[in-house]
Every structure is written in C-alpha cells, then in structure tokens.
C-alpha cells in the first residue's frame, strides 16, 4: 500500500514539474481605440492614450515581453500602407505609430486603421507567440498655414445712383486652400487705397460712407485685400470699380418725340432704343398702350385715295349699287343744297345740321331699290366737324332719334318701309316688310362707335328676317324688338329721305324744291340727323360678303409688331381692328423692353397721305408693394409722314395736229383722235452723286406700274353741236373693263381705277365723227388724266383737228382752173402740209378750207388776168425757186402781187392761218402785209393757247 502511495505521489510531482515548464500562458493586451494627431511637417503620431502593450506573463523572459505591433487596413483600406508601428521598449510594451511618408491635410485630413500587438513567445525564436486583439486608431492630420487667400474675381464692378447711402454696393470674396478652419477662413478684408468714401466689413461687403456725387466724381476705383485667420495676406489684391449714376428717375429712356416716315419704305420701328427704367423697383406686371391718332386723316386713317365707287370695284364688290349722295350735277341735283366739307382722301363729305339739311332722293332712283334683300353702306361721323353747336331746344330733345336714311319702296304689289337711326349710343333699324299687313320689326345695337364723334364704316345687309351689321369690318348681333306700340302706317307711296324722315301722311305737306326750309310750317319732318355722311349706297339683291366689307374699311396704315417669333415668354400683344391701338403686356422688364422696340408703323400706300400722326404711350405698372409702386406719366410724340415723290403722268404720241380729208370724219365710225397714244408714269427721286465722284445732285426717273382713275377729253372753244358732231367710244371695251363713262357735249369723262394699258386701249378708241357737210376749218381737243381722285394729274395734251376739203366739193371744174393748175410749179407742193398726217395725198387736188372764200372772190379776176399769166409763167417759175430756197433759210420772200394769191390755191394752210377771214374785202396792201417775210416765218410756228386748269372743274 505504501509503495502504491509513493508511486502516485511521484507521478503527481512529475506532472507538476511538466506543467511548470510551460512559460507563455497569456496574450498581450492593448486599448481598444486610439486617437492620434500628426502635423503636416512631422511623421510621428501622438496617440491618446499612449501606445502600451501589457502581458501577464511578465516578468518572464520572452513570454512577458512585447516584440512588435502589426498595422492592418482600416475602413478606407489604406492605413496599413501609410503608417507603421514600432516597439520602443520590449519589457514595458511601449510603442510608437508613425507615417511612412509626409501627409497632406488638403488631400486627406483623417486616417483610420487597426493595430495589434504580439509577444516574443517562449524563446528567442518567437515560438508560440501570442497576439492581442485589434485596436482601432484614428489619426487626424493637423493643418499648417501654407496657403494664402485668393480672390474669386480680380475686378469687381458696380453702379449706384447718386445721393444715397447703401448698406451694400458690392461684395468681394476670397478663398483659402488650407484645410483647417483656422487657416482656411478669411478673418477680415481691408481697403488699401487711402481716402476713398467706402468701407468693407469682415464678410467682404462694401458700402459707401457718404453720398456719392456723379458730377464730382463719376467713377471710383480702389483696391482691397484679404487675410486668413493665420494672418496670411492674399497673394493678389482685387480692384473695385464703382460707377455713380445720376439720380434715377423711373420712366422710359430713349423716347424720340418726332419720328419720320418716308412713303414706300414699308414698316419702320417707332421706338428702336426705348427701354423702361424702374430704379430697382420690383414689378410683376407691365402694360403699355401705344396709340396712333389718325382720325384727322381721311375717314379715320390713310386709305386708298380713290373714289368710293373705285374702291368698291377694287375690293371685288358686286356691281349695281345706287349712290344716294352723289356729287351734285345736272343729273343728280338732290344733293346740291347740302353743304360739303373738304376731305384729304378726295371723297365727298356731306354735312347735316339736324334742321334744314335733308336730301330727297328722286322717285326715279328709289324705284330701282325694291325688294327685301339689300345692302346699305355708308361712312358716318356723329356730330361731325365744323358744324354749329346744337341749339338749346335741340339739346333739350336729345332723346329723339336722328334718322340717317328713311325709305319706302314698292315691292311688286306691296310697299315696304325701313329707316336707319341713331339714338344716343344706339343704332336701330326699323323695318316694315309690308306696311299694309305685317307688323314692323326693330333691330337695335348698342355701340360706342355711334357716339364717339369719329369716322366709322357701317354695312347693313338685310335679308329679311336676317339682318347683319358690320361696323368697321366687325360683326355685331342685334336685339330684336317686335312690339313697337301704336305706330301709324306709312303711306303706300315711294319716297326716300337722307338726313331725316317725313311725318305721318295726315300731317305731312308737299316738299318743294327737294329741300326743307328751316322755320317754315309748310314743311314738316322728324328726326333730323346731326353729323357727317359720305359714300351712302344701296345695292339691291344678295348681301355683301364679309371679305368685301373688310376690304372697304381696311386701313392702309397702322401699328404692327415686327416679329412675333422674337416675343419673349409671358409677353402678350393685342392690336385693335383699325390697328390704331397696340397693347403690350408682360412680367419681365428685359423681355418687355425688347418687345417695345419691335413696335412698328406700316403704310402700304405708295403715295401715302403726308402729315402728322400724334403718338401716345401710356404705361401701367403693378408691384408687390402697391403703395410704393411707380407711376409713369403719359408720353406724347408724333409721326410725320413725309411728302411722297409725286408721279409724273405723261401723255404723248399725239399731234399736235391731225389733218384728214373731211369725208373720213363723215364716215359711220369717224376718225380716231388718239390712235398712237402712250401713257407713261414715272417717279423722280434724288440721287446722291457725290458718292460717285460727281458734283451736286441729280434726279433719277424710274417708270412704275400705275393705276389711273379718270381721263377726260374736252373740246376747246365751243361745245359739240349734237346735230353736226359727236365723240364716239368703244363701249364694249369700257364695259368689259368695268369703267364708267359720261359723254356730254362739253366733255367725255372715263372713270374707274384701272391700269395704264386699259386706259390706253379705251382712249385709242375715242373717235370724232361729223355729219354730212358739217366740216369746218379746225377743231381743238384737250386730253388729260388723273390718279387718286385728281390728286395727281397728267400733262394736258392738246390736239388740233384740221379738215381737208376737195376742190371738187367747192365748185365745178372749168378750163380756167385747169389752165391755172398748169401754171403751178411742183415745187409749191413740197411742204404744203408739213407737220400733218395726210394719207394718200393727191397732187393739186386739195386746198385749205380757209382759202375757199378767197378763191371764189378771185375767180372773176382769173378771166381778165389769164393772158397776163401766160406772159408771167417764167417769172412765176423764178419766184417759186426763190421761195423754196428762202424757206430752207428761214426767211421766205413772197411776191407782193395779188396774182400770186389767186393762182396758188395749194399754198399750205399754215400760212393761210395768218390771214383773217375778213380779208376778202381788203386790197392788195392788206394781202401784202399778211404775206410779209415776218409773217411767213411765223407760218412754221404753232401757237397753242393753254386753257387754265382752274377755269374748268374736274368731273371725275
């Protein structure tokens, strides 16, 4: 038993000895997290807490010692590359963390990695070494003030109005590249230029220390610098330029009061440099209204300067209208008592004073206006111009209707009645389709145009029961009133008044002389119209198309917008139908300024009406603070349309003489007066020849396509005798071209807007015809043409017609005449009809008509003097030769004997025109005086007496 106990004890001792020899029993221990700092110019990391590794095996050799530290990648994966850890003391476990290369705070300011300690193991070979847990190390790189501040801009500019103090004029800014707040922040700025009225704060805001004066100094220039918190100064200073503006006055800048327009130049901008100054006031809506005043130009604006009838034709209106207010003439005398006013568009304007100015249209005209389908058109200006103010009685009766047209017409077996009236600002059409059966209907419109005292175009198309009203080309719908109370039926009688309406039949009396005398009880009428009327027409049949109505009213001038594609977002443009008012609206000042500069004036007329057109610009602003919002005054200016280059209408290719045998004029077709007429229209304009190296200026003339509206052929002297002579025109050509003609004994007038070629064709067809035996010595005609209702006229072309008479038609041939003809030398015929057109002349067969009386007186002397003539043949021959030579030299010498006159009946009628018709009773001395050399030289001159233009009024 004892032996067994001993063996057990020995085994336990051996086991204890074996366990006692194992030395490295514990792992090293370190902190779980370290915070480190390292400077940019150093590589040693200062850790908190310090790096120490502990081992419980101490103080055993090897096992209780720390042999090293291992660095592992951190979250960024780069810590192990840039840092390392070394053991300073193996027994104490002290370690050091350092960077392998210099660190840059600006590239990476913080680093993270893990570290692990391991002991020396059981022996010098490090067998069975143990590792500690991994601890996290955070290293922050401390910044060094190595960078200086740098300004964002090298030059700062600002502009301020004078006389005010500002909290901030401009802000300068500098940046520092250092990574730390201490060195990267700009601590303060400084103005290094001395004696400037400006100050700067630490944020870089510059303000003025005193009010600035633009007159004393317009531009201030100074320099500023910046310092960071490490007191490093900026590498380069910044320049600041402050411009002092004069006192800001809100409003439009660049307004030009006078704008000139040259006719034919298309569209021009009215405000090319205009812009709005709000003086930094914030606005959210801008509205500008441009108004062009053209009410004094024609009928509200510049239109085609043709007659109303010509304009209707150019617009494609259906023919057949009846002019109710035609120009006074023998054929249309019912407007002769109405006063007229001048009009710049050459149209005839009639004035009505509401009392005694009334036109009574004849029954012959009214009879052509039957039917319940018709179109009534007129130009109206309520109140008118140059009209005496209404009397007190009239003003007291303002509630009465003013009748423009009052008419009763016959429709087959019945009568219809209608009247067009104005009442205040209302227009009414009273229509009675059948005065004996149907009840009347009243169509009523409330229109501002009726009472604004401006020209307006009214087109009323009646296709009962449908009625369409166009005012200035715009359609207006009526309100229908069927019950008009007790209205007396109009008498079944055909009649029409312009400017008033008659009283009911039981109260009406006969109207004398187509007028209503003022203040006479014998004449009664109601509803006198007070205003101006022009172009009042009625066309029975189908109604007028809308396109034609728009064309009749269309203005050729007005406001427009240059290019809608350039209109900015949020901008709106509105133009009224007459293009006299243009409204711009927007919310952005810059876009609004560009839009205003696109407003243009256009005039499509080649020969625009010259004169002044007033301009107005009204602006309305809306701000966020309505109390302090800006208020801009209205701007006024004017547009001047310059005088256009007048066209020169030239008539040529005729005369001045037309000589034909009398039988040709007596033919059934007569003789054409202007067979080779040429009409040319040209424009002369100044040319700057100085640019071409020439002195002075020059006029250039360019042929242009033109439209004439009237030509007139007028006999000079006595009017045509309808029993003996007449002027003929090819009516087929006239009708085909839609022209109108008036053919009287005093003139023949062709009217209508047409091209030059058409007028040439018509005038070339004008022929002059005589009755048998009505030929006289001469007849003179004058031709002239005009454009735009006589605004431009041509030259006056005078044609002298001469009738060539045969000797056989004067007396019977005899042996005396035959013998007399033998004495005539052929040289006498060489120039007998020089300057005249004589087709197929027969030698010795014609004599001038003026010599007929002289020849008959001389026949009796021929019997006595025939013998003397035989002996003087040779002398006559010599005188003939001398006369021909003298004619070439311009000083003819004629024989002073009476025989020369008697035996030379073929002498040219030009020389005979110098002899008075009453010479037949005078002696040889008178004949010698008439045939003196001075008179002979006058034979080659044609003197035409030009009739004064003012002596004869135009008829078209």
């Amino acid at each position: 038993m004892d032996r067994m106990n001993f063996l057990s004890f020995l085994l336990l001792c051996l086991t204890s000895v074996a366990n006692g020899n194992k030395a490295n029993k514990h792992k090293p221990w370190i902190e779980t997290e370290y915070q480190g700092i390292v400077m940019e110019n150093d590589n040693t990391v200062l850790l908190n807490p310090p790096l120490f590794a502990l081992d419980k095996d101490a103080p055993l050799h090897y096992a209780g010692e720390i042999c090293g530290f291992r660095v592992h990648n951190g979250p960024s994966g780069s810590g192990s590359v840039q840092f390392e850890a070394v053991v300073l003391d193996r027994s104490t476990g002290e370690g050091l963390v350092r960077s392998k290369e210099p660190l840059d705070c600006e590239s990476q300011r913080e680093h993270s990695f893990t570290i692990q300690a391991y002991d020396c193991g059981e022996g010098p070979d490090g067998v069975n070494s143990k590792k500690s847990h991994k601890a996290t190390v955070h290293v922050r790189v401390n910044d060094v003030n190595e960078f200086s501040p740098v300004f964002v801009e090298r030059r700062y500019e600002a502009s301020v109005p004078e006389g005010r103090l500002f909290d901030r004029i401009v802000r300068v800014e500098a940046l520092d590249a250092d990574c730390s707040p201490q060195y990267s922040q700009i601590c303060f700025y400084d103005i290094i230029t001395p004696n400037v009225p400006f100050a700067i704060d630490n944020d870089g805001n510059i303000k003025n220390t005193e009010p600035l004066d633009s007159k004393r100094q317009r531009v201030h220039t100074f320099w500023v610098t910046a310092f960071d918190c490490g007191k490093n100064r900026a590498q380069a200073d910044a320049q600041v330029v402050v411009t002092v503006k004069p006192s800001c006055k809100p409003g439009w800048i660049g307004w030009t009061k006078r704008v000139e327009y040259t006719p034919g130049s298309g569209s021009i901008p009215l405000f090319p440099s205009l812009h709005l100054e709000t003086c930094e006031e914030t606005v959210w809506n801008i509205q500008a209204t441009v108004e062009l005043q053209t009410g004094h130009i024609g009928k509200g604006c510049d239109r085609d300067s043709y007659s109303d009838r010509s304009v209707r034709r150019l617009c494609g209106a259906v023919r057949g209208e009846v002019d109710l207010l035609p120009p006074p003439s023998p054929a249309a005398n019912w407007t002769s008592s109405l006063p007229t006013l001048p009009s710049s568009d050459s149209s005839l304007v009639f004035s009505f004073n509401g009392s005694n100015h009334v036109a009574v249209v004849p029954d012959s005209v009214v009879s052509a206006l039957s039917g319940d389908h018709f179109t009534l058109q007129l130009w109206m200006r309520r109140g008118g111009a140059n009209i005496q103010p209404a009397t007190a009685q009239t003003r007291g009766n303002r509630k009465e209707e003013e009748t423009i047209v009052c008419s009763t017409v016959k429709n087959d077996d019945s009568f219809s009645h209608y009247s067009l009236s104005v009442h205040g600002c209302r227009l009414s059409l009273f229509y009675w389709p059948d005065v004996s059966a149907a009840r009347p209907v009243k169509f009523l419109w409330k229109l501002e145009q009726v009472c604004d005292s401006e020209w307006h175009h009214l087109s009323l198309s009646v296709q009962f029961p449908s009625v369409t009203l166009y005012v200035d080309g715009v359609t207006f719908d009526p309100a229908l009133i069927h019950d008009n109370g007790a209205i007396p039926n109009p008498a079944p009688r055909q009649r029409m008044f312009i400017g008033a309406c008659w009283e009911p039949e039981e109260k009406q009396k006969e109207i004398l002389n187509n007028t209503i005398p003022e203040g006479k009880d014998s004449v009664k009428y109601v509803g006198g119209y007070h205003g101006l009327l022009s172009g009042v027409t009625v066309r029975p049949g189908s109604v007028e198309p809308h396109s034609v109505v728009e064309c009749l009213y269309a203005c050729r001038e007005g406001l427009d917008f240059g290019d809608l594609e350039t209109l900015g977002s949020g901008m709106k443009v509105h133009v009224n139908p007459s293009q006299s008012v243009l409204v711009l609206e927007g919310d952005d000042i810059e876009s609004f300024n560009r839009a205003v500069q696109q407003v243009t004036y256009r005039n499509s007329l080649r020969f625009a009406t010259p004169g002044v057109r007033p301009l107005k610009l009204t602006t309305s602003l809306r701000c966020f603070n309505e109390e302090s919002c800006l208020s801009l005054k209205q701007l006024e200016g004017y547009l001047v349309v310059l005088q256009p280059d007048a066209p020169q209408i030239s008539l040529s290719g005729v005369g001045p003489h037309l000589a034909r045998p009398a039988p040709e004029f007596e033919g059934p077709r007569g003789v054409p007066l202007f067979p080779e007429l040429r009409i040319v229209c040209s424009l002369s304009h100044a040319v700057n020849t100085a640019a071409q190296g020439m002195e002075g200026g020059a006029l250039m003339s360019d042929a242009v396509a033109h439209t004439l509206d009237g030509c007139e052929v007028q006999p000079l002297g006595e009017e045509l005798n309808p029993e003996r002579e007449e002027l003929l025109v090819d009516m087929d050509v006239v009708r085909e071209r839609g022209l109108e003609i008036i053919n009287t004994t005093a003139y023949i007038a062709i009217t209508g807007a047409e091209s030059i070629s058409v007028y040439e064709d018509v005038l070339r067809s004008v022929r002059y015809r005589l009755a048998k035996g009505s030929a006289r010595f001469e007849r003179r005609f004058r031709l002239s043409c005009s454009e735009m209702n006589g605004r431009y006229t041509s030259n006056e072309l005078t044609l002298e017609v001469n009738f060539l008479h045969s000797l056989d038609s004067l007396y019977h041939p005899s042996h005396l005449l035959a013998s007399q003809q033998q004495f005539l030398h052929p040289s006498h015929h060489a120039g007998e009809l020089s300057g005249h057109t004589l087709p197929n002349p027969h030698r010795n067969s014609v004599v001038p008509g003026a010599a007929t009386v002289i020849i008959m007186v001389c026949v009796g002397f021929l019997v006595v003097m025939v013998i003397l003539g035989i002996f003087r043949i040779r002398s006559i021959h010599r005188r003939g030769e001398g006369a021909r030579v003298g004619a070439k030299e311009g000083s003819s010498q004629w024989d002073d004997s009476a025989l020369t006159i008697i035996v030379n009946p073929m002498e040219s009628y030009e020389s005979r025109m110098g002899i008075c018709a009453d010479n037949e009773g005078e002696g040889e001395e008178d004949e010698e005086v008439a045939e003196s050399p001075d008179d002979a030289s006058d034979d080659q001159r044609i003197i035409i007496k030009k009739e004064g233009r003012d002596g004869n009024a135009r008829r078209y």
Side-chain angles (χ1 to χ4, degrees):
M1 175 64 74
D2 295 334
R3 187 177 178 180
M4 290 293 294
N5 292 336
F6 175 78
L7 291 175
S8 298
F9 176 77
L10 180 63
L11 181 61
L12 179 63
C13 290
L14 291 176
T15 304
S16 299
V17 171
N19 293 335
N21 292 335
K22 188 177 180 180
N24 195 5
K25 296 189 298 181
H26 299 92
K27 296 179 180 179
W29 177 90
I30 57 176
E31 298 285 345
T32 59
E33 186 175 12
Y34 294 91
Q35 301 292 333
I37 297 176
V38 60
M39 301 299 293
E40 280 185 319
N41 56 359
D42 194 4
N43 62 350
T44 301
V45 178
L46 300 179
L47 293 179
N48 182 24
L51 181 59
F52 283 95
L54 302 178
D55 196 323
K56 291 183 178 181
D57 292 328
L60 293 178
H61 192 52
Y62 297 113
E65 297 177 345
I66 303 300
C67 279
F69 295 92
R70 292 181 181 176
V71 177
H72 302 279
N73 290 337
S76 60
S78 60
S80 62
V81 177
Q82 294 178 304
F83 293 91
E84 63 181 358
V86 295
V87 178
L88 299 181
D89 189 345
R90 296 175 63 176
S91 59
T92 61
E94 182 182 2
L96 175 67
V97 177
R98 61 189 178 190
S99 62
K100 297 179 181 179
E101 55 186 20
L103 300 178
D104 187 3
C105 175
E106 285 73 33
S107 61
Q108 187 173 351
R109 188 176 180 182
E110 293 184 351
H111 300 268
S112 295
F113 54 89
T114 59
I115 190 173
Q116 190 176 31
Y118 59 92
D119 57 17
C120 296
E122 296 179 355
D125 54 356
V127 177
N128 295 327
S129 62
K130 294 183 180 295
K131 299 178 182 178
S132 67
H133 62 271
K134 292 181 179 180
T136 303
V137 181
H138 300 281
V139 178
R140 186 182 69 218
V141 182
N142 272 3
D143 187 24
V144 176
N145 193 11
E146 56 185 330
F147 296 100
S148 299
V150 177
F151 281 97
V152 177
E153 302 286 344
R154 294 297 305 275
R155 178 184 175 94
Y156 293 88
E157 295 183 1
S159 59
V160 292
E162 63 180 357
R164 293 172 54 186
L165 291 175
F166 297 90
D167 294 335
R168 186 178 75 174
I169 296 176
V170 64
R171 181 178 181 272
V172 298
E173 183 182 8
L175 300 177
D176 195 301
D178 290 312
C179 65
S180 64
Q182 179 182 3
Y183 299 128
S184 63
Q185 290 184 357
I186 307 300
C187 278
F188 64 94
Y189 296 88
D190 189 22
I191 298 177
I192 60 178
T193 302
N195 303 323
V196 292
F198 299 95
I200 189 170
D201 60 15
N202 293 339
D203 294 327
N205 297 314
I206 298 176
K207 64 179 182 180
N208 58 323
T209 57
E210 62 184 43
L212 303 178
D213 188 355
S214 63
K215 297 180 180 178
R216 185 173 62 183
Q217 186 172 352
R218 182 69 182 274
V219 178
H220 295 267
T221 303
F222 53 92
W223 296 85
V224 297
T225 190
F227 293 88
D228 61 18
C229 294
K231 296 186 178 180
N232 272 1
R233 181 176 172 173
Q235 291 181 353
D237 301 328
Q239 185 184 38
V240 180
V241 178
V242 177
T243 302
V244 182
K245 298 185 299 183
S247 299
C248 180
K249 296 180 180 180
W252 292 101
I253 299 176
W255 171 263
T256 302
K257 189 173 184 180
R258 174 188 173 96
V259 180
E260 291 187 354
Y261 177 79
T262 303
S265 56
S267 298
I268 62 168
L270 291 176
F271 322 112
S273 59
L274 190 65
H275 62 279
L276 181 63
E277 175 61 59
T278 60
C279 296
E280 299 183 356
E281 179 72 27
T282 304
V283 297
W284 64 273
N285 182 267
I286 313 171
Q287 188 177 52
T289 302
V290 184
E291 182 180 357
L292 178 70
Q293 298 180 4
T294 58
H296 60 291
I297 307 296
K299 298 187 184 72
C301 65
D302 208 357
R303 293 183 172 88
D304 286 314
S305 298
Y306 298 108
S307 63
D308 293 333
R309 189 178 296 272
S310 296
V311 173
R312 287 182 55 82
R313 182 175 176 275
L314 292 174
C315 289
V318 181
R319 301 176 186 175
E321 73 278 0
V322 177
D323 195 350
L324 302 182
L325 289 179
S329 65
N333 60 357
W334 67 89
T335 59
S336 58
S337 63
L338 296 177
T340 59
L341 298 178
S343 176
S344 59
D345 62 355
S346 304
S347 60
L348 197 59
V349 176
F350 293 92
S351 172
F352 295 83
N353 61 1
S355 58
N356 65 331
H357 294 164
V358 179
V360 181
V361 183
D363 293 342
S364 59
V365 177
V366 181
S367 60
L369 303 177
S370 61
D372 56 358
H373 287 34
F374 62 91
T375 300
L376 173 64
Q377 299 194 35
L378 57 95
W379 285 94
M380 179 187 71
R381 183 177 180 182
R382 188 84 175 278
N386 299 329
I387 297 178
Q388 296 297 328
T391 61
Q393 182 179 2
T394 305
R395 288 194 296 268
N397 298 329
R398 295 300 294 173
K399 295 183 178 180
E400 293 185 0
E401 290 187 342
E402 300 178 16
T403 303
I404 301 175
V405 179
C406 187
S407 175
T408 300
V409 296
K410 185 176 182 180
N411 304 316
D412 298 330
D413 297 331
S414 63
F415 286 86
S416 62
H417 175 84
Y418 71 89
S419 62
L420 182 67
S421 306
V422 289
H423 178 202
C425 291
R426 291 175 173 84
L427 179 74
S428 63
L429 173 67
F430 182 77
Y431 190 77
W432 208 325
D434 189 350
V435 298
S436 61
R439 295 299 299 167
V441 179
K442 192 171 186 178
F443 301 86
L444 186 66
W445 296 266
K446 186 176 181 181
L447 304 169
E448 295 181 359
Q449 294 88 336
V450 176
C451 54
D452 61 0
S453 297
E454 299 291 341
W455 277 109
H456 296 285
H457 181 261
L458 275 64
S459 178
L460 194 67
S461 295
V462 178
Q463 195 170 8
F464 192 77
S466 174
V467 175
T468 304
L469 173 66
Y470 297 97
V471 180
D472 298 337
V474 180
T475 309
F476 291 89
D477 296 327
L480 302 181
I481 301 177
H482 293 271
D483 186 9
N484 292 277
I487 299 177
N489 291 25
R493 175 184 170 187
Q494 205 165 242
R495 62 180 65 178
M496 177 179 284
F497 281 10
I498 308 295
C501 196
W502 57 88
E503 285 189 345
E505 186 68 19
E506 61 271 13
K507 297 182 180 181
Q508 184 184 2
K509 297 182 180 180
E510 291 296 330
I511 298 175
L512 303 177
N513 298 327
N514 289 331
T515 60
I516 300 181
E518 187 176 11
K520 292 186 179 181
D521 296 335
S522 59
V523 177
K524 298 294 183 180
Y525 77 101
V526 293
Y529 172 72
H530 186 270
L532 303 179
L533 293 177
S534 178
V536 183
T537 61
V538 174
R539 185 182 59 78
S542 58
V543 298
E544 206 76 86
H546 187 197
S547 59
V548 174
V549 177
E550 287 182 335
C551 177
L552 293 174
Y553 171 74
C555 290
R556 303 304 180 190
E557 67 173 345
L559 300 173
D560 203 353
F561 193 81
D563 187 3
L564 292 175
E565 295 182 357
T566 62
L567 196 63
S569 60
M571 290 295 304
K572 299 178 182 179
V573 180
H574 174 73
V575 185
N576 67 336
S578 62
Q579 293 189 300
S580 60
V581 178
L582 184 145
V583 180
L584 283 173
E585 186 176 357
D587 52 9
D588 180 68
I589 294 180
E590 294 300 326
S591 300
F592 197 87
N593 288 335
R594 288 193 298 268
V596 169
Q597 296 170 5
Q598 291 288 326
V599 177
T600 62
Y601 168 80
R602 58 121 187 101
N603 196 319
S604 60
L605 291 179
R606 181 70 175 272
F607 308 105
T609 303
V612 175
R613 277 80 162 163
L615 273 173
K616 291 183 180 180
L617 176 60
T618 306
T619 310
S620 175
L621 301 177
R622 302 184 68 181
C623 310
F624 292 101
N625 186 2
E626 294 294 341
E627 296 181 357
S628 63
C629 195
L630 303 176
S631 178
L632 304 182
K633 66 177 183 179
Q634 185 183 70
L635 297 180
E636 295 184 356
Y638 55 93
L639 171 76
V640 180
V641 178
L642 303 179
Q643 185 73 32
D645 294 329
Q648 289 82 42
I649 307 173
S650 175
L651 309 180
S652 61
V654 176
H657 296 282
L658 175 65
R660 293 290 189 276
E664 293 189 17
F665 291 93
E666 298 171 355
R669 293 181 54 83
V671 174
L673 294 180
F674 317 108
E676 299 179 358
L677 175 66
R678 291 185 67 251
I679 305 176
V680 177
C681 179
S682 60
L683 281 177
S684 297
H685 53 90
V687 177
N688 184 12
T689 56
Q692 304 175 2
M694 301 172 59
E695 296 182 358
L699 288 177
M700 295 293 291
S701 182
D702 298 329
V704 295
H706 209 51
T707 300
L708 301 179
D709 63 1
C711 288
E712 181 179 279
V713 180
Q714 178 185 7
L716 299 179
E718 300 177 359
E719 295 186 3
L720 297 178
N721 188 338
E723 297 179 357
R724 297 186 302 173
E725 54 186 345
E726 62 178 338
L727 287 174
L728 305 176
V729 182
D730 191 343
M731 296 304 298
D732 293 337
V733 177
V734 174
R735 295 191 188 95
E736 180 183 354
R737 299 298 185 175
L739 301 176
E740 297 181 358
I741 185 170
I742 301 176
N743 194 350
T744 67
T745 59
Y747 63 91
I748 178 171
I750 304 168
T751 58
E754 259 299 349
S755 63
I756 288 179
S757 60
V758 171
Y759 269 93
E760 284 180 339
D761 294 341
V762 174
L763 291 175
R764 287 170 184 171
S765 69
V766 175
R767 295 173 173 267
Y768 179 52
R769 189 173 70 86
L770 295 172
K772 292 291 184 180
S774 300
R776 46 191 285 181
F777 173 64
E778 66 176 16
R779 166 63 88 173
R780 299 173 66 209
F781 294 94
R782 180 172 61 198
L783 170 64
S784 61
C785 296
S786 71
E787 157 70 315
M788 296 184 183
N789 253 4
R791 181 176 173 184
Y792 302 111
T793 57
S794 69
N795 61 310
E796 293 183 348
L797 195 62
T798 303
L799 174 67
E800 182 178 305
V801 179
N802 298 107
F803 311 97
L804 306 182
H805 300 269
S806 172
L807 289 179
D808 293 339
S809 64
L810 298 177
Y811 53 91
H812 297 288
S814 64
H815 67 282
L816 295 176
L817 180 59
S819 61
Q820 178 186 354
Q821 294 175 356
Q822 295 176 0
F823 298 146
L824 299 179
H825 194 276
S827 61
H828 289 279
H829 303 279
E832 62 181 1
L833 291 177
S834 60
H836 302 273
T837 304
L838 181 60
N840 301 324
H842 189 277
R843 285 179 60 179
N844 305 332
S845 62
V846 292
V847 294
T852 303
V853 178
I854 299 176
I855 294 175
M856 294 178 65
V857 174
C858 296
V859 167
F861 294 95
L862 291 177
V863 178
V864 179
M865 302 180 68
V866 64
I867 299 175
L868 296 176
I870 296 174
F871 291 101
R872 299 188 61 180
I873 290 177
R874 186 177 300 277
S875 61
I876 291 174
H877 178 72
R878 288 196 298 269
R879 285 196 301 272
E881 292 293 337
R884 184 171 66 254
V885 175
K888 295 179 180 180
E889 299 175 356
S891 58
S892 302
Q893 298 295 331
W894 295 85
D895 191 89
D896 58 358
S897 66
L899 181 62
T900 304
I901 300 175
I902 295 171
V903 300
N904 190 12
M906 296 306 296
E907 183 179 318
S908 67
Y909 70 89
E910 287 99 331
S911 62
R912 291 292 181 178
M913 289 177 65
I915 305 174
C916 298
D918 56 354
N919 278 357
E920 41 182 286
E922 298 182 1
E924 297 180 0
E925 293 181 359
D926 293 338
E927 294 177 359
E928 290 175 351
V929 173
E931 296 182 359
S932 63
D934 294 337
D935 293 338
S937 63
D938 291 340
D939 293 343
Q940 306 303 321
R941 299 197 302 269
I942 300 172
I943 302 176
I944 300 175
K945 181 179 179 181
K946 187 176 181 180
E947 300 292 339
R949 291 196 180 200
D950 297 335
N952 296 305
R954 301 194 63 82
R955 303 173 182 85
Y956 52 89

